[in-house]
PDB file of all heavy atoms in Angstrom:
ATOM      1  N   THR A  18      14.576  20.378  24.533  1.00 48.00           N
ATOM      2  CA  THR A  18      15.510  19.375  25.042  1.00 48.00           C
ATOM      3  C   THR A  18      16.940  19.815  24.780  1.00 48.00           C
ATOM      4  O   THR A  18      17.384  19.821  23.629  1.00 48.00           O
ATOM      5  CB  THR A  18      15.265  18.017  24.363  1.00 48.00           C
ATOM      6  OG1 THR A  18      13.902  17.655  24.516  1.00 48.00           O
ATOM      7  CG2 THR A  18      16.167  16.948  24.969  1.00 48.00           C
ATOM      8  N   PRO A  19      17.677  20.222  25.833  1.00 59.00           N
ATOM      9  CA  PRO A  19      19.072  20.612  25.619  1.00 59.00           C
ATOM     10  C   PRO A  19      19.918  19.401  25.268  1.00 59.00           C
ATOM     11  O   PRO A  19      19.621  18.267  25.644  1.00 59.00           O
ATOM     12  CB  PRO A  19      19.469  21.200  26.974  1.00 59.00           C
ATOM     13  CG  PRO A  19      18.561  20.541  27.956  1.00 59.00           C
ATOM     14  CD  PRO A  19      17.266  20.323  27.235  1.00 59.00           C
ATOM     15  N   GLY A  20      20.984  19.651  24.529  1.00 73.00           N
ATOM     16  CA  GLY A  20      21.868  18.571  24.133  1.00 73.00           C
ATOM     17  C   GLY A  20      21.367  17.879  22.882  1.00 73.00           C
ATOM     18  O   GLY A  20      20.776  16.800  22.952  1.00 73.00           O
ATOM     19  N   THR A  21      21.534  18.506  21.733  1.00 84.00           N
ATOM     20  CA  THR A  21      21.021  17.984  20.472  1.00 84.00           C
ATOM     21  C   THR A  21      22.165  17.742  19.510  1.00 84.00           C
ATOM     22  O   THR A  21      23.080  18.550  19.412  1.00 84.00           O
ATOM     23  CB  THR A  21      20.016  18.972  19.848  1.00 84.00           C
ATOM     24  OG1 THR A  21      18.952  19.203  20.769  1.00 84.00           O
ATOM     25  CG2 THR A  21      19.452  18.418  18.551  1.00 84.00           C
ATOM     26  N   THR A  22      22.106  16.656  18.772  1.00 89.00           N
ATOM     27  CA  THR A  22      23.119  16.321  17.772  1.00 89.00           C
ATOM     28  C   THR A  22      22.479  16.312  16.390  1.00 89.00           C
ATOM     29  O   THR A  22      21.391  15.759  16.206  1.00 89.00           O
ATOM     30  CB  THR A  22      23.751  14.954  18.066  1.00 89.00           C
ATOM     31  OG1 THR A  22      24.356  14.978  19.359  1.00 89.00           O
ATOM     32  CG2 THR A  22      24.827  14.636  17.037  1.00 89.00           C
ATOM     33  N   LYS A  23      23.167  16.910  15.428  1.00 92.00           N
ATOM     34  CA  LYS A  23      22.662  16.963  14.069  1.00 92.00           C
ATOM     35  C   LYS A  23      23.809  16.731  13.096  1.00 92.00           C
ATOM     36  O   LYS A  23      24.944  17.135  13.351  1.00 92.00           O
ATOM     37  CB  LYS A  23      21.998  18.315  13.796  1.00 92.00           C
ATOM     38  CG  LYS A  23      21.200  18.363  12.504  1.00 92.00           C
ATOM     39  CD  LYS A  23      20.399  19.648  12.385  1.00 92.00           C
ATOM     40  CE  LYS A  23      19.567  19.661  11.104  1.00 92.00           C
ATOM     41  NZ  LYS A  23      18.766  20.906  10.985  1.00 92.00           N
ATOM     42  N   VAL A  24      23.511  16.087  11.958  1.00 94.00           N
ATOM     43  CA  VAL A  24      24.528  15.755  10.966  1.00 94.00           C
ATOM     44  C   VAL A  24      24.394  16.705   9.775  1.00 94.00           C
ATOM     45  O   VAL A  24      23.297  16.859   9.217  1.00 94.00           O
ATOM     46  CB  VAL A  24      24.405  14.296  10.496  1.00 94.00           C
ATOM     47  CG1 VAL A  24      25.466  13.988   9.439  1.00 94.00           C
ATOM     48  CG2 VAL A  24      24.546  13.346  11.683  1.00 94.00           C
ATOM     49  N   TYR A  25      25.483  17.332   9.381  1.00 95.00           N
ATOM     50  CA  TYR A  25      25.557  18.178   8.206  1.00 95.00           C
ATOM     51  C   TYR A  25      26.574  17.561   7.236  1.00 95.00           C
ATOM     52  O   TYR A  25      27.071  16.464   7.456  1.00 95.00           O
ATOM     53  CB  TYR A  25      26.000  19.598   8.579  1.00 95.00           C
ATOM     54  CG  TYR A  25      25.043  20.321   9.497  1.00 95.00           C
ATOM     55  CD1 TYR A  25      25.132  20.168  10.886  1.00 95.00           C
ATOM     56  CD2 TYR A  25      24.077  21.174   8.990  1.00 95.00           C
ATOM     57  CE1 TYR A  25      24.259  20.845  11.736  1.00 95.00           C
ATOM     58  CE2 TYR A  25      23.202  21.853   9.819  1.00 95.00           C
ATOM     59  CZ  TYR A  25      23.301  21.682  11.197  1.00 95.00           C
ATOM     60  OH  TYR A  25      22.435  22.349  12.037  1.00 95.00           O
ATOM     61  N   TRP A  26      26.877  18.290   6.177  1.00 95.00           N
ATOM     62  CA  TRP A  26      27.948  17.871   5.268  1.00 95.00           C
ATOM     63  C   TRP A  26      28.930  19.018   5.111  1.00 95.00           C
ATOM     64  O   TRP A  26      28.559  20.190   5.206  1.00 95.00           O
ATOM     65  CB  TRP A  26      27.403  17.433   3.912  1.00 95.00           C
ATOM     66  CG  TRP A  26      26.666  18.505   3.143  1.00 95.00           C
ATOM     67  CD1 TRP A  26      25.354  18.864   3.270  1.00 95.00           C
ATOM     68  CD2 TRP A  26      27.219  19.364   2.136  1.00 95.00           C
ATOM     69  NE1 TRP A  26      25.043  19.890   2.414  1.00 95.00           N
ATOM     70  CE2 TRP A  26      26.163  20.214   1.697  1.00 95.00           C
ATOM     71  CE3 TRP A  26      28.482  19.491   1.557  1.00 95.00           C
ATOM     72  CZ2 TRP A  26      26.350  21.176   0.709  1.00 95.00           C
ATOM     73  CZ3 TRP A  26      28.664  20.456   0.572  1.00 95.00           C
ATOM     74  CH2 TRP A  26      27.605  21.282   0.158  1.00 95.00           C
ATOM     75  N   SER A  27      30.166  18.699   4.909  1.00 97.00           N
ATOM     76  CA  SER A  27      31.209  19.718   4.780  1.00 97.00           C
ATOM     77  C   SER A  27      31.978  19.510   3.487  1.00 97.00           C
ATOM     78  O   SER A  27      32.172  18.373   3.029  1.00 97.00           O
ATOM     79  CB  SER A  27      32.169  19.676   5.975  1.00 97.00           C
ATOM     80  OG  SER A  27      32.921  18.479   5.988  1.00 97.00           O
ATOM     81  N   LEU A  28      32.399  20.627   2.901  1.00 97.00           N
ATOM     82  CA  LEU A  28      33.177  20.599   1.667  1.00 97.00           C
ATOM     83  C   LEU A  28      34.106  21.793   1.659  1.00 97.00           C
ATOM     84  O   LEU A  28      33.697  22.914   2.003  1.00 97.00           O
ATOM     85  CB  LEU A  28      32.261  20.647   0.435  1.00 97.00           C
ATOM     86  CG  LEU A  28      32.939  20.771  -0.937  1.00 97.00           C
ATOM     87  CD1 LEU A  28      33.759  19.526  -1.232  1.00 97.00           C
ATOM     88  CD2 LEU A  28      31.909  21.009  -2.029  1.00 97.00           C
ATOM     89  N   ASN A  29      35.336  21.568   1.290  1.00 97.00           N
ATOM     90  CA  ASN A  29      36.321  22.643   1.185  1.00 97.00           C
ATOM     91  C   ASN A  29      37.185  22.368  -0.049  1.00 97.00           C
ATOM     92  O   ASN A  29      37.839  21.325  -0.116  1.00 97.00           O
ATOM     93  CB  ASN A  29      37.186  22.705   2.443  1.00 97.00           C
ATOM     94  CG  ASN A  29      37.948  24.013   2.552  1.00 97.00           C
ATOM     95  OD1 ASN A  29      37.971  24.801   1.603  1.00 97.00           O
ATOM     96  ND2 ASN A  29      38.579  24.245   3.681  1.00 97.00           N
ATOM     97  N   THR A  30      37.162  23.282  -1.011  1.00 97.00           N
ATOM     98  CA  THR A  30      37.933  23.073  -2.230  1.00 97.00           C
ATOM     99  C   THR A  30      38.513  24.389  -2.712  1.00 97.00           C
ATOM    100  O   THR A  30      37.941  25.458  -2.484  1.00 97.00           O
ATOM    101  CB  THR A  30      37.049  22.445  -3.329  1.00 97.00           C
ATOM    102  OG1 THR A  30      37.839  22.203  -4.492  1.00 97.00           O
ATOM    103  CG2 THR A  30      35.893  23.365  -3.689  1.00 97.00           C
ATOM    104  N   SER A  31      39.649  24.317  -3.369  1.00 97.00           N
ATOM    105  CA  SER A  31      40.299  25.516  -3.906  1.00 97.00           C
ATOM    106  C   SER A  31      41.083  25.141  -5.157  1.00 97.00           C
ATOM    107  O   SER A  31      41.571  24.013  -5.294  1.00 97.00           O
ATOM    108  CB  SER A  31      41.230  26.153  -2.873  1.00 97.00           C
ATOM    109  OG  SER A  31      42.307  25.299  -2.556  1.00 97.00           O
ATOM    110  N   LEU A  32      41.191  26.101  -6.065  1.00 97.00           N
ATOM    111  CA  LEU A  32      41.918  25.920  -7.318  1.00 97.00           C
ATOM    112  C   LEU A  32      42.710  27.185  -7.611  1.00 97.00           C
ATOM    113  O   LEU A  32      42.163  28.298  -7.555  1.00 97.00           O
ATOM    114  CB  LEU A  32      40.954  25.633  -8.471  1.00 97.00           C
ATOM    115  CG  LEU A  32      41.542  25.686  -9.886  1.00 97.00           C
ATOM    116  CD1 LEU A  32      42.529  24.534 -10.090  1.00 97.00           C
ATOM    117  CD2 LEU A  32      40.443  25.653 -10.945  1.00 97.00           C
ATOM    118  N   THR A  33      43.984  27.023  -7.914  1.00 96.00           N
ATOM    119  CA  THR A  33      44.841  28.125  -8.339  1.00 96.00           C
ATOM    120  C   THR A  33      45.530  27.712  -9.628  1.00 96.00           C
ATOM    121  O   THR A  33      46.105  26.616  -9.703  1.00 96.00           O
ATOM    122  CB  THR A  33      45.902  28.452  -7.274  1.00 96.00           C
ATOM    123  OG1 THR A  33      45.265  28.735  -6.034  1.00 96.00           O
ATOM    124  CG2 THR A  33      46.722  29.660  -7.688  1.00 96.00           C
ATOM    125  N   TYR A  34      45.449  28.580 -10.638  1.00 97.00           N
ATOM    126  CA  TYR A  34      46.073  28.254 -11.925  1.00 97.00           C
ATOM    127  C   TYR A  34      46.769  29.501 -12.453  1.00 97.00           C
ATOM    128  O   TYR A  34      46.219  30.605 -12.421  1.00 97.00           O
ATOM    129  CB  TYR A  34      45.032  27.776 -12.941  1.00 97.00           C
ATOM    130  CG  TYR A  34      45.653  27.110 -14.145  1.00 97.00           C
ATOM    131  CD1 TYR A  34      45.953  25.758 -14.128  1.00 97.00           C
ATOM    132  CD2 TYR A  34      45.965  27.846 -15.288  1.00 97.00           C
ATOM    133  CE1 TYR A  34      46.537  25.134 -15.229  1.00 97.00           C
ATOM    134  CE2 TYR A  34      46.549  27.235 -16.389  1.00 97.00           C
ATOM    135  CZ  TYR A  34      46.837  25.878 -16.356  1.00 97.00           C
ATOM    136  OH  TYR A  34      47.423  25.272 -17.425  1.00 97.00           O
ATOM    137  N   GLN A  35      47.994  29.307 -12.930  1.00 95.00           N
ATOM    138  CA  GLN A  35      48.807  30.399 -13.431  1.00 95.00           C
ATOM    139  C   GLN A  35      49.127  30.192 -14.908  1.00 95.00           C
ATOM    140  O   GLN A  35      49.772  29.209 -15.279  1.00 95.00           O
ATOM    141  CB  GLN A  35      50.111  30.512 -12.637  1.00 95.00           C
ATOM    142  CG  GLN A  35      51.013  31.648 -13.063  1.00 95.00           C
ATOM    143  CD  GLN A  35      50.440  33.012 -12.694  1.00 95.00           C
ATOM    144  OE1 GLN A  35      49.770  33.148 -11.683  1.00 95.00           O
ATOM    145  NE2 GLN A  35      50.688  34.014 -13.526  1.00 95.00           N
ATOM    146  N   PHE A  36      48.609  31.100 -15.749  1.00 94.00           N
ATOM    147  CA  PHE A  36      49.007  31.129 -17.149  1.00 94.00           C
ATOM    148  C   PHE A  36      50.268  31.986 -17.265  1.00 94.00           C
ATOM    149  O   PHE A  36      50.844  32.404 -16.265  1.00 94.00           O
ATOM    150  CB  PHE A  36      47.876  31.714 -18.010  1.00 94.00           C
ATOM    151  CG  PHE A  36      46.598  30.923 -17.953  1.00 94.00           C
ATOM    152  CD1 PHE A  36      45.624  31.236 -17.017  1.00 94.00           C
ATOM    153  CD2 PHE A  36      46.372  29.879 -18.820  1.00 94.00           C
ATOM    154  CE1 PHE A  36      44.444  30.524 -16.953  1.00 94.00           C
ATOM    155  CE2 PHE A  36      45.189  29.147 -18.770  1.00 94.00           C
ATOM    156  CZ  PHE A  36      44.229  29.469 -17.829  1.00 94.00           C
ATOM    157  N   ARG A  37      50.670  32.255 -18.482  1.00 91.00           N
ATOM    158  CA  ARG A  37      51.882  33.048 -18.664  1.00 91.00           C
ATOM    159  C   ARG A  37      51.699  34.478 -18.164  1.00 91.00           C
ATOM    160  O   ARG A  37      52.560  35.014 -17.483  1.00 91.00           O
ATOM    161  CB  ARG A  37      52.284  33.056 -20.154  1.00 91.00           C
ATOM    162  CG  ARG A  37      53.592  33.806 -20.433  1.00 91.00           C
ATOM    163  CD  ARG A  37      54.011  33.672 -21.882  1.00 91.00           C
ATOM    164  NE  ARG A  37      55.242  34.414 -22.140  1.00 91.00           N
ATOM    165  CZ  ARG A  37      55.291  35.678 -22.475  1.00 91.00           C
ATOM    166  NH1 ARG A  37      54.163  36.377 -22.604  1.00 91.00           N
ATOM    167  NH2 ARG A  37      56.451  36.283 -22.691  1.00 91.00           N
ATOM    168  N   ARG A  38      50.571  35.104 -18.483  1.00 94.00           N
ATOM    169  CA  ARG A  38      50.330  36.489 -18.095  1.00 94.00           C
ATOM    170  C   ARG A  38      49.070  36.660 -17.257  1.00 94.00           C
ATOM    171  O   ARG A  38      48.707  37.780 -16.906  1.00 94.00           O
ATOM    172  CB  ARG A  38      50.216  37.366 -19.352  1.00 94.00           C
ATOM    173  CG  ARG A  38      51.462  37.371 -20.231  1.00 94.00           C
ATOM    174  CD  ARG A  38      51.211  38.078 -21.549  1.00 94.00           C
ATOM    175  NE  ARG A  38      50.950  39.498 -21.351  1.00 94.00           N
ATOM    176  CZ  ARG A  38      51.904  40.438 -21.315  1.00 94.00           C
ATOM    177  NH1 ARG A  38      53.174  40.090 -21.440  1.00 94.00           N
ATOM    178  NH2 ARG A  38      51.597  41.698 -21.149  1.00 94.00           N
ATOM    179  N   THR A  39      48.403  35.552 -16.952  1.00 95.00           N
ATOM    180  CA  THR A  39      47.138  35.617 -16.225  1.00 95.00           C
ATOM    181  C   THR A  39      47.135  34.587 -15.106  1.00 95.00           C
ATOM    182  O   THR A  39      47.608  33.464 -15.288  1.00 95.00           O
ATOM    183  CB  THR A  39      45.947  35.353 -17.170  1.00 95.00           C
ATOM    184  OG1 THR A  39      45.965  36.288 -18.243  1.00 95.00           O
ATOM    185  CG2 THR A  39      44.629  35.474 -16.427  1.00 95.00           C
ATOM    186  N   GLY A  40      46.594  34.978 -13.967  1.00 96.00           N
ATOM    187  CA  GLY A  40      46.453  34.061 -12.844  1.00 96.00           C
ATOM    188  C   GLY A  40      45.026  34.081 -12.328  1.00 96.00           C
ATOM    189  O   GLY A  40      44.382  35.128 -12.281  1.00 96.00           O
ATOM    190  N   VAL A  41      44.511  32.904 -11.961  1.00 96.00           N
ATOM    191  CA  VAL A  41      43.166  32.803 -11.420  1.00 96.00           C
ATOM    192  C   VAL A  41      43.200  31.954 -10.151  1.00 96.00           C
ATOM    193  O   VAL A  41      44.049  31.062  -9.998  1.00 96.00           O
ATOM    194  CB  VAL A  41      42.177  32.184 -12.436  1.00 96.00           C
ATOM    195  CG1 VAL A  41      42.018  33.079 -13.647  1.00 96.00           C
ATOM    196  CG2 VAL A  41      42.640  30.790 -12.860  1.00 96.00           C
ATOM    197  N   ALA A  42      42.268  32.259  -9.235  1.00 96.00           N
ATOM    198  CA  ALA A  42      42.141  31.491  -8.003  1.00 96.00           C
ATOM    199  C   ALA A  42      40.676  31.445  -7.612  1.00 96.00           C
ATOM    200  O   ALA A  42      39.999  32.481  -7.614  1.00 96.00           O
ATOM    201  CB  ALA A  42      42.972  32.120  -6.881  1.00 96.00           C
ATOM    202  N   LEU A  43      40.187  30.249  -7.276  1.00 96.00           N
ATOM    203  CA  LEU A  43      38.798  30.037  -6.887  1.00 96.00           C
ATOM    204  C   LEU A  43      38.762  29.154  -5.647  1.00 96.00           C
ATOM    205  O   LEU A  43      39.606  28.277  -5.469  1.00 96.00           O
ATOM    206  CB  LEU A  43      38.003  29.358  -8.012  1.00 96.00           C
ATOM    207  CG  LEU A  43      37.860  30.108  -9.336  1.00 96.00           C
ATOM    208  CD1 LEU A  43      37.279  29.177 -10.398  1.00 96.00           C
ATOM    209  CD2 LEU A  43      36.981  31.345  -9.165  1.00 96.00           C
ATOM    210  N   SER A  44      37.776  29.394  -4.787  1.00 96.00           N
ATOM    211  CA  SER A  44      37.615  28.546  -3.610  1.00 96.00           C
ATOM    212  C   SER A  44      36.141  28.491  -3.216  1.00 96.00           C
ATOM    213  O   SER A  44      35.376  29.435  -3.471  1.00 96.00           O
ATOM    214  CB  SER A  44      38.452  29.067  -2.439  1.00 96.00           C
ATOM    215  OG  SER A  44      37.939  30.294  -1.953  1.00 96.00           O
ATOM    216  N   TYR A  45      35.758  27.372  -2.596  1.00 98.00           N
ATOM    217  CA  TYR A  45      34.389  27.196  -2.099  1.00 98.00           C
ATOM    218  C   TYR A  45      34.451  26.373  -0.821  1.00 98.00           C
ATOM    219  O   TYR A  45      35.208  25.396  -0.729  1.00 98.00           O
ATOM    220  CB  TYR A  45      33.509  26.488  -3.126  1.00 98.00           C
ATOM    221  CG  TYR A  45      32.164  26.074  -2.561  1.00 98.00           C
ATOM    222  CD1 TYR A  45      31.192  27.026  -2.258  1.00 98.00           C
ATOM    223  CD2 TYR A  45      31.881  24.730  -2.316  1.00 98.00           C
ATOM    224  CE1 TYR A  45      29.967  26.653  -1.734  1.00 98.00           C
ATOM    225  CE2 TYR A  45      30.651  24.345  -1.796  1.00 98.00           C
ATOM    226  CZ  TYR A  45      29.703  25.311  -1.506  1.00 98.00           C
ATOM    227  OH  TYR A  45      28.494  24.939  -0.977  1.00 98.00           O
ATOM    228  N   ALA A  46      33.638  26.768   0.168  1.00 97.00           N
ATOM    229  CA  ALA A  46      33.569  26.043   1.427  1.00 97.00           C
ATOM    230  C   ALA A  46      32.129  25.986   1.903  1.00 97.00           C
ATOM    231  O   ALA A  46      31.379  26.961   1.765  1.00 97.00           O
ATOM    232  CB  ALA A  46      34.451  26.706   2.484  1.00 97.00           C
ATOM    233  N   HIS A  47      31.750  24.850   2.458  1.00 97.00           N
ATOM    234  CA  HIS A  47      30.429  24.681   3.050  1.00 97.00           C
ATOM    235  C   HIS A  47      30.588  23.952   4.375  1.00 97.00           C
ATOM    236  O   HIS A  47      31.351  22.985   4.480  1.00 97.00           O
ATOM    237  CB  HIS A  47      29.513  23.870   2.131  1.00 97.00           C
ATOM    238  CG  HIS A  47      28.170  23.567   2.755  1.00 97.00           C
ATOM    239  ND1 HIS A  47      27.083  24.395   2.627  1.00 97.00           N
ATOM    240  CD2 HIS A  47      27.765  22.534   3.536  1.00 97.00           C
ATOM    241  CE1 HIS A  47      26.064  23.895   3.278  1.00 97.00           C
ATOM    242  NE2 HIS A  47      26.445  22.757   3.853  1.00 97.00           N
ATOM    243  N   GLY A  48      29.859  24.418   5.391  1.00 96.00           N
ATOM    244  CA  GLY A  48      29.902  23.772   6.689  1.00 96.00           C
ATOM    245  C   GLY A  48      29.444  24.708   7.781  1.00 96.00           C
ATOM    246  O   GLY A  48      28.959  25.826   7.524  1.00 96.00           O
ATOM    247  N   VAL A  49      29.611  24.272   9.008  1.00 95.00           N
ATOM    248  CA  VAL A  49      29.207  25.049  10.178  1.00 95.00           C
ATOM    249  C   VAL A  49      30.315  26.017  10.536  1.00 95.00           C
ATOM    250  O   VAL A  49      31.503  25.657  10.535  1.00 95.00           O
ATOM    251  CB  VAL A  49      28.895  24.115  11.356  1.00 95.00           C
ATOM    252  CG1 VAL A  49      28.650  24.901  12.635  1.00 95.00           C
ATOM    253  CG2 VAL A  49      27.682  23.245  11.032  1.00 95.00           C
ATOM    254  N   ASN A  50      29.943  27.281  10.847  1.00 95.00           N
ATOM    255  CA  ASN A  50      30.919  28.282  11.254  1.00 95.00           C
ATOM    256  C   ASN A  50      30.429  29.023  12.493  1.00 95.00           C
ATOM    257  O   ASN A  50      29.348  28.742  13.010  1.00 95.00           O
ATOM    258  CB  ASN A  50      31.220  29.252  10.099  1.00 95.00           C
ATOM    259  CG  ASN A  50      29.992  30.029   9.649  1.00 95.00           C
ATOM    260  OD1 ASN A  50      29.333  30.707  10.437  1.00 95.00           O
ATOM    261  ND2 ASN A  50      29.669  29.934   8.358  1.00 95.00           N
ATOM    262  N   GLY A  51      31.217  29.984  12.965  1.00 94.00           N
ATOM    263  CA  GLY A  51      30.923  30.667  14.213  1.00 94.00           C
ATOM    264  C   GLY A  51      29.798  31.676  14.154  1.00 94.00           C
ATOM    265  O   GLY A  51      29.318  32.126  15.204  1.00 94.00           O
ATOM    266  N   GLY A  52      29.365  32.100  12.972  1.00 93.00           N
ATOM    267  CA  GLY A  52      28.241  33.022  12.870  1.00 93.00           C
ATOM    268  C   GLY A  52      28.584  34.478  12.723  1.00 93.00           C
ATOM    269  O   GLY A  52      27.699  35.334  12.767  1.00 93.00           O
ATOM    270  N   SER A  53      29.857  34.835  12.587  1.00 95.00           N
ATOM    271  CA  SER A  53      30.304  36.206  12.286  1.00 95.00           C
ATOM    272  C   SER A  53      29.901  37.222  13.343  1.00 95.00           C
ATOM    273  O   SER A  53      29.808  38.418  13.063  1.00 95.00           O
ATOM    274  CB  SER A  53      29.760  36.653  10.916  1.00 95.00           C
ATOM    275  OG  SER A  53      30.150  35.780   9.896  1.00 95.00           O
TER     276      SER A  53
END
């Protein structure tokens, strides 16, 4: 049957923190994408 709808969940988060001599960055994403 062409024309199908489906429900997913999406999440996008990122964190950047700078110490005096050290920097860190983290990110996470979940969801539908183009498929590479």
Side-chain angles (χ1 to χ4, degrees):
T18 306
T21 302
T22 301
K23 192 172 182 179
V24 179
Y25 297 86
W26 61 276
S27 67
L28 174 65
N29 196 350
T30 182
S31 65
L32 169 68
T33 304
Y34 194 86
Q35 182 70 33
F36 299 92
R37 183 175 179 272
R38 300 171 66 89
T39 303
V41 296
L43 298 169
S44 69
Y45 170 71
H47 175 90
V49 173
N50 62 56
S53 303

